[in-house]
Amino acid sequence: MALMLMGVTTSCFKMEEPNIFDESAAERLEHAITEYSDILTDKGGVWALEYFANTEEQGYVYTMKFSKNGSVEMSAKNEWVGYVKTGENTNVFGSETSMWEVIADNGPVLTFNTYNTIFHIFANPEDIPTTEGDEQGYGHEGDYEFDLMRYSNDTLYLEGKKYGVPMKMYRLSAETTGEEYFAKIDNVIAAMNVTKFPDLVLTGADGNRYIVNDIATLVPSIYPEGGDWVTQTVSTSTIVTADGFRFATPLQLVNKDGGSTLTVQSFKLQEDGSLLCTDDNKSVITCDNLNTVFSDELLKWRTSSTSFGGKFKPIYDAVVAGCKAAPLKRTFRYFQFEYSGALKTYVLNFLDQTTNGNFYTNVEKVGTDQVKISYKGELDNNAQVHVNNVSAFTDMLNAIGATTFKVVSMKGALNPTTIRLQSADNAEDYIELNVY
């Protein structure tokens, strides 16, 4: 079903030609009001509103159940519900019932005309408590009345009546509960919580790459890889949906040379953890190349007692046993790969009980997903003591140096908090690492 509204106008002059409409403007508007009211309450009347108070802060989802008696049950889970309910800005689920109506203006307008604390907070002209600035007199500048633009395929297109921000409402099944719907959103939020990896990569349908910075804040900045992040960065707010996220408005990206452009807005979370742009079904957001992620100078990668497989496991077991035996008599804890800014080198660090030791290494990236780690033959005094007493340390260094590793994410394409360095020749030989 598609509902298209013609402009509603009045005129003081008499038309010379016959009226092409069977109804007057007022009658058409009245019928539109009735039709939109029926649409909102049809099939159980359950909807999801993707709400933007403005395009500079993140958007918020509301589920709404419209009743023919003029009531609407709104549910949400966000920091502002927490503020209303508890006085603290923490994500809290809340529901509240208020009143709604479709009224006449220049066209049909959906109004929520009784106060709803978890929704009207965005329209309150009060200072926002979590910011340093003073917003007294205008607040979030959000709307609570919406021009109904059109309806198609169980989607309502609307705009804030005062500020004009475009939004969408999607029909949900009559059985959908707020708790169920926000549980799905929570899963997407968790997948996008990539605070350890602030720089993701959007690979466009044309092959150009763009750096996506701070997506976890839901107001990310994007600029072309190799371009000027000062002059070429674009940013707008996003909203997390039940299956992904979208930007408040279509975002036009220009490549580093200022030539080719890419327009994106909506992304869907895939099974592999990536975010696929549904506008072209080709552009995709992932973490950076996995060997780049592993060699990031700001990250540390740590093993556990179950991290070693294939040829590396008996060597690791010998390290543990050797440390436990005389003369060291210590419990081995872990190996850790990291970069030392002070020493300007990569380090294979280890801890046994209370003693840290360091082997200094080179890390070479091969292609987009392989890495070679080679021991420089340099180590600190603690590591020397362990080499002198436990030959398995030397065996481990030799085995690592003799292997070209493929870097594999064990947590998906977006948030590789666990990776596996597996032999390019035999996947059974591996070392698994967690970001620390």
Side-chain angles (χ1 to χ4, degrees):
M1 175 183 183
L3 179 64
M4 301 297 293
L5 299 180
M6 304 298 295
V8 179
T9 62
T10 59
S11 175
C12 62
F13 63 88
K14 184 177 180 179
M15 297 181 65
E16 294 296 330
E17 296 186 14
N19 194 335
I20 63 173
F21 300 109
D22 294 331
E23 299 177 326
S24 68
E27 288 173 324
R28 293 198 305 276
L29 178 55
E30 187 60 34
H31 286 172
I33 288 172
T34 299
E35 190 162 2
Y36 273 121
S37 298
D38 290 342
I39 287 169
L40 285 165
T41 57
D42 193 24
K43 302 178 183 178
V46 182
W47 295 80
L49 168 65
E50 295 180 0
Y51 177 84
F52 290 91
N54 54 70
T55 57
E56 295 180 357
E57 66 175 296
Q58 71 176 81
Y60 305 92
V61 174
Y62 284 82
T63 59
M64 300 185 176
K65 183 176 177 62
F66 291 88
S67 298
K68 291 183 182 293
N69 65 7
S71 66
V72 57
E73 181 185 9
M74 294 188 183
S75 299
K77 186 178 182 181
N78 59 57
E79 61 183 296
W80 300 107
V81 176
Y83 178 74
V84 168
K85 300 296 184 184
T86 69
E88 297 182 2
N89 286 88
T90 54
N91 280 7
V92 171
F93 176 82
S95 291
E96 194 168 312
T97 299
S98 53
M99 305 301 290
W100 71 279
E101 187 178 2
V102 178
I103 61 174
D105 201 310
N106 291 330
V109 172
L110 172 61
T111 180
F112 298 100
N113 50 11
T114 60
Y115 192 77
N116 188 306
T117 59
I118 67 173
F119 184 71
H120 284 78
I121 188 171
F122 293 105
N124 281 346
E126 299 176 358
D127 180 51
I128 302 173
T130 57
T131 65
E132 295 181 359
D134 181 8
E135 295 87 9
Q136 189 65 37
Y138 54 93
H140 292 267
E141 296 186 297
D143 276 297
Y144 65 92
E145 293 186 317
F146 305 90
D147 291 320
L148 295 166
M149 311 305 291
R150 63 188 178 94
Y151 170 72
S152 179
N153 296 324
D154 285 334
T155 302
L156 272 168
Y157 298 82
L158 52 161
E159 291 183 359
K161 184 174 181 293
K162 185 175 182 181
Y163 296 107
V165 179
M167 306 178 208
K168 295 180 183 179
M169 290 178 67
Y170 301 93
R171 189 187 298 281
L172 305 179
S173 69
E175 296 76 25
T176 304
T177 67
E179 290 89 341
E180 293 171 344
Y181 198 73
F182 288 104
K184 294 179 181 178
I185 293 176
D186 284 343
N187 289 336
V188 179
I189 290 174
M192 293 175 59
N193 185 26
V194 291
T195 52
K196 289 286 187 179
F197 312 99
D199 288 345
L200 300 177
V201 175
L202 167 59
T203 303
D206 58 1
N208 286 308
R209 285 170 39 112
Y210 303 84
I211 305 302
V212 183
N213 183 256
D214 286 338
I215 198 171
T217 67
L218 301 184
V219 189
S221 57
I222 305 178
Y223 61 94
E225 183 179 51
D228 185 347
W229 69 270
V230 175
T231 62
Q232 293 185 301
T233 292
V234 295
S235 180
T236 189
S237 60
T238 67
I239 188 167
V240 178
T241 65
D243 62 2
F245 84 97
R246 71 178 179 91
F247 295 110
T249 57
L251 206 61
Q252 189 173 75
L253 306 175
V254 180
N255 68 7
K256 65 178 181 179
D257 300 319
S260 175
T261 61
L262 175 71
T263 301
V264 295
Q265 184 173 21
S266 300
F267 290 81
K268 185 175 182 179
L269 184 65
Q270 304 298 294
E271 288 187 7
D272 67 356
S274 63
L275 290 161
L276 177 67
C277 179
T278 56
D279 305 303
D280 59 22
N281 286 316
K282 292 182 179 179
S283 302
V284 63
I285 296 176
T286 64
C287 64
D288 204 345
N289 294 331
L290 285 170
N291 56 4
T292 298
V293 172
F294 170 73
S295 59
D296 190 313
E297 295 181 0
L298 299 179
L299 299 179
K300 298 178 181 180
W301 298 95
R302 182 176 294 183
T303 68
S304 70
S305 59
T306 60
S307 290
F308 299 84
K311 69 179 182 181
F312 294 104
K313 188 176 188 312
I315 301 174
Y316 171 76
D317 291 342
V319 167
V320 173
C323 289
K324 196 71 173 176
L328 295 178
K329 295 184 178 180
R330 296 170 183 169
T331 300
F332 187 82
R333 301 297 188 191
Y334 58 75
F335 284 107
Q336 182 167 285
F337 289 96
E338 61 184 280
Y339 181 81
S340 171
L343 299 174
K344 307 296 184 185
T345 187
Y346 288 94
V347 175
L348 175 58
N349 169 271
F350 69 85
L351 174 68
D352 74 341
Q353 209 149 331
T354 58
T355 302
N356 273 298
N358 296 297
F359 299 100
Y360 305 121
T361 63
N362 291 312
V363 174
E364 177 189 354
K365 293 189 289 185
V366 180
T368 61
D369 65 353
Q370 293 187 354
V371 67
K372 292 182 178 180
I373 304 166
S374 57
Y375 173 46
K376 291 182 176 182
E378 302 171 5
L379 68 172
D380 66 10
N381 291 335
N382 288 336
Q384 185 66 64
V385 170
H386 284 67
V387 167
N388 291 344
N389 290 282
V390 183
S391 61
F393 276 99
T394 300
D395 296 337
M396 181 66 78
L397 292 169
N398 290 336
I400 290 172
T403 305
T404 297
F405 292 101
K406 180 179 180 180
V407 188
V408 179
S409 172
M410 309 302 289
K411 295 289 187 178
L414 200 67
N415 197 16
T417 52
T418 300
I419 61 171
R420 178 173 286 187
L421 300 181
Q422 66 184 37
S423 170
D425 298 322
N426 182 4
E428 298 299 316
D429 299 331
Y430 66 83
I431 302 172
E432 202 162 275
L433 302 151
N434 294 300
V435 70
Y436 183 74

